[in-house]
């Protein structure tokens, strides 16, 4: 038997229930992992509220984790019991153990602790996607980054600085601004008001070639207004709600803009992409270029409190559960 957090319907944090379940048996191509640390990400909240749909109820939330292989199902050749592993995007993470398709898991190097892995697999690979794939940033570029002190945000600031990119970070408080600065943001804007005017001032009128917007509904139009002609709007999250009702003409009138809505699952669909991105991420952590800040740690039974903290904007860096 093992303990996991399940939901039987969409709703507030109260739908997250701690339950005792029979230990699962790995099927063909799967492994069973004893989880040492579990990531809590904004996407978990979208799945809890029903903005994103789970395949069926009851469902175990959580996309990201790290631990030790306990058993391997038929046909698994890459992993064996005792191996240290981690994964970024597989629903079913909030539990003391879990089964998972072996091709969605990567070997965890001995010098990366479990808590760091659970704090960076999804968020770090998202940054890899944003800065290296969605738009390959170039040294000397200036980018606008929302939620710059969040889990994705702090890693984005560090990685962008490493690549010689100037980050203008947007945050809600001075304290978060200071943290983002320490993590590589060159300039900080507190609050979303008059965003375009403040970006114009910081860029001497040039505006920015790329905006990374994870806030969604509340900031979408303001973010478009910060772009230089032919600029790229990367709308990659919905922390304030989903963006709806876009007219493509909005892109024309603001200077022939580009718009993309990337999802990490698509970018990691090929196992080769998952392995290559993870290798790059782990290398940068080992080299000390990236430091994963675990801002909040909760016990597994407190998954609801962890999500409430994330939703209420009181967290910085990554949030994890320790089973
Ligand atoms: P964060 O740690 O960044 O937390 C969310 C932050 O968003 C808050 O701390 C807050 O920062 C800011 N925010 C602004 N407005 C709101 C609001 N109305 N409600 C709540 N928060 C708000 O979370 P994560 O690092 O887990 O994720 C960051 C974003 O990246 C999320 O939107 C997530 O969906 C997205 N994402 C997308 C992926 C993809 O594949 N497309 C993959 C991974 C993450 P502040 O107080 O400074 O405003």
């Amino acid at each position: 038997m093992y303990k996991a957090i399940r939901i039987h319907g969409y709703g507030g944090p109260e739908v997250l229930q701690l339950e005792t379940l029979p230990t699962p048996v790995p099927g063909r191509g799967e492994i069973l992992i004893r989880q040492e640390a579990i990531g809590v990400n904004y996407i978990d909240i979208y799945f809890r509220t029903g903005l994103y749909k789970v395949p069926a109820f009851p469902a175990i939330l959580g996309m990201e984790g790290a631990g030790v292989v306990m058993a391997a199902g038929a046909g698994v050749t890459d992993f064996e019991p005792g191996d240290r592993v981690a994964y970024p995007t597989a629903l079913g993470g909030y539990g003391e153990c879990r089964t998972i398709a072996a091709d969605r898991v990567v070997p965890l190097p001995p010098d990366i602790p479990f808590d760091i892995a659970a704090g960076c697999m999804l968020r770090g690979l998202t940054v890899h996607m944003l800065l290296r794939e969605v738009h390959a940033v170039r040294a000397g570029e200036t980018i606008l980054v929302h939620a710059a002190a969040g889990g994705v945000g702090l890693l984005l600031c560090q990685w962008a600085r490493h690549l010689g990119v100037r980050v203008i970070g947007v945050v809600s408080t001075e304290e978060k601004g200071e943290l983002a600065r320490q993590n590589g943001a060159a300039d900080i804007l507190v609050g979303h008001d008059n965003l375009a005017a403040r970006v114009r001032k910081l860029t001497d009128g040039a505006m920015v070639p790329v905006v990374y917007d994870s806030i969604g509904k509340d900031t979408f139009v303001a973010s478009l207004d910060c772009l230089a002609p032919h600029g790229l709007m990367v709308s990659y999250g919905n922390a304030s709600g989903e963006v709806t009702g876009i007219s493509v003409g909005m892109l024309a009138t603001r200077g022939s803009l580009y718009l993309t809505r990337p999802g990490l699952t698509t970018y990691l669909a090929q196992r080769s992409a998952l392995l290559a991105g993870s290798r790059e991420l782990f290398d940068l952590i080992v080299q000390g270029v990236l430091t994963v800040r675990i801002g909040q740690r909760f016990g597994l039974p407190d998954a609801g409190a962890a999500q409430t903290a994330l939703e209420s904007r009181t967290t910085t860096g990554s949030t994890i559960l320790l089973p």
Side-chain angles (χ1 to χ4, degrees):
M1 304 296 280
Y2 79 111
K3 289 197 166 41
I5 300 282
R6 292 208 299 189
I7 61 168
H8 294 257
Y10 300 120
E14 69 284 352
V15 300
L16 296 164
Q17 292 180 10
L18 184 68
E19 297 178 1
T20 302
L21 304 168
T23 303
V25 177
R28 184 167 189 83
E30 290 184 337
I31 53 175
L32 174 66
I33 303 174
R34 184 188 76 236
Q35 303 213 102
E36 298 290 339
I38 300 157
V40 177
N41 289 277
Y42 225 92
I43 191 171
D44 305 348
I45 295 167
Y46 306 147
F47 275 119
R48 192 202 71 218
T49 58
L51 179 63
Y52 295 176
K53 305 298 177 204
V54 296
F57 292 115
I60 300 176
L61 300 187
M63 306 292 282
E64 177 186 41
V68 177
V69 177
M70 296 168 75
V76 174
T77 52
D78 288 351
F79 300 104
E80 56 186 40
D83 286 351
R84 302 172 83 250
V85 293
Y87 60 90
T89 55
L91 198 61
Y94 286 6
E96 291 170 339
C97 64
R98 70 165 299 167
T99 50
I100 184 170
D103 66 0
R104 295 289 86 202
V105 171
V106 300
L108 185 61
D111 36 11
I112 309 273
F114 292 116
D115 57 348
I116 298 299
C120 79
M121 286 299 291
L122 195 156
R123 286 156 274 227
L125 289 171
T126 299
V127 175
H128 179 270
M129 168 185 83
L130 296 174
L131 297 182
R132 314 269 283 117
E133 310 268 348
V134 172
H135 169 75
V137 291
R138 289 180 296 274
E141 251 177 358
T142 301
I143 62 177
L144 186 68
V145 176
H146 287 276
V152 172
L154 288 183
L155 289 170
L156 208 166
C157 289
Q158 293 175 30
W159 205 323
R161 174 177 59 186
H162 172 64
L163 295 172
V165 172
R166 173 189 176 201
V167 172
I168 302 175
V170 186
V171 293
S172 61
T173 66
E174 297 288 351
E175 293 73 25
K176 286 188 176 186
E178 185 50 36
L179 185 61
R181 247 188 244 283
Q182 288 164 8
N183 281 265
D187 298 281
I188 289 295
L189 297 174
V190 178
H192 304 137
D193 295 343
N194 303 317
L195 204 57
R198 290 189 287 161
V199 168
R200 182 169 290 110
K201 198 168 168 198
L202 281 174
T203 58
D204 295 326
M207 311 309 275
V208 293
V210 192
V211 176
Y212 292 106
D213 186 335
S214 61
I215 311 302
K217 183 164 69 73
D218 286 359
T219 52
F220 184 79
V221 174
S223 291
L224 290 184
D225 288 338
C226 293
L227 285 164
H230 307 288
L232 174 64
M233 168 68 168
V234 184
S235 176
Y236 73 100
N238 325 281
S240 68
E242 199 179 2
V243 177
T244 55
I246 305 166
S247 129
V248 287
M250 296 167 78
L251 306 177
T253 54
R254 285 168 175 80
S256 304
L257 304 179
Y258 294 84
L259 166 66
T260 183
R261 175 56 177 91
L264 186 59
T265 311
T266 320
Y267 280 82
L268 296 182
Q270 300 299 320
R271 177 152 180 77
S272 54
L274 172 63
L275 289 170
S278 303
R279 200 172 311 118
E280 196 169 340
L281 174 65
F282 293 152
D283 284 350
L284 290 176
I285 292 171
V286 171
Q287 289 163 24
V289 172
L290 298 180
T291 302
V292 182
R293 178 186 163 92
I294 312 285
Q296 302 70 219
R297 295 165 196 263
F298 293 84
L300 180 65
D302 298 324
Q307 288 198 358
T308 300
L310 191 55
E311 268 182 299
S312 60
R313 304 169 74 164
T314 57
T315 63
T316 54
S318 297
T319 301
I320 61 168
L321 302 177
L322 295 169

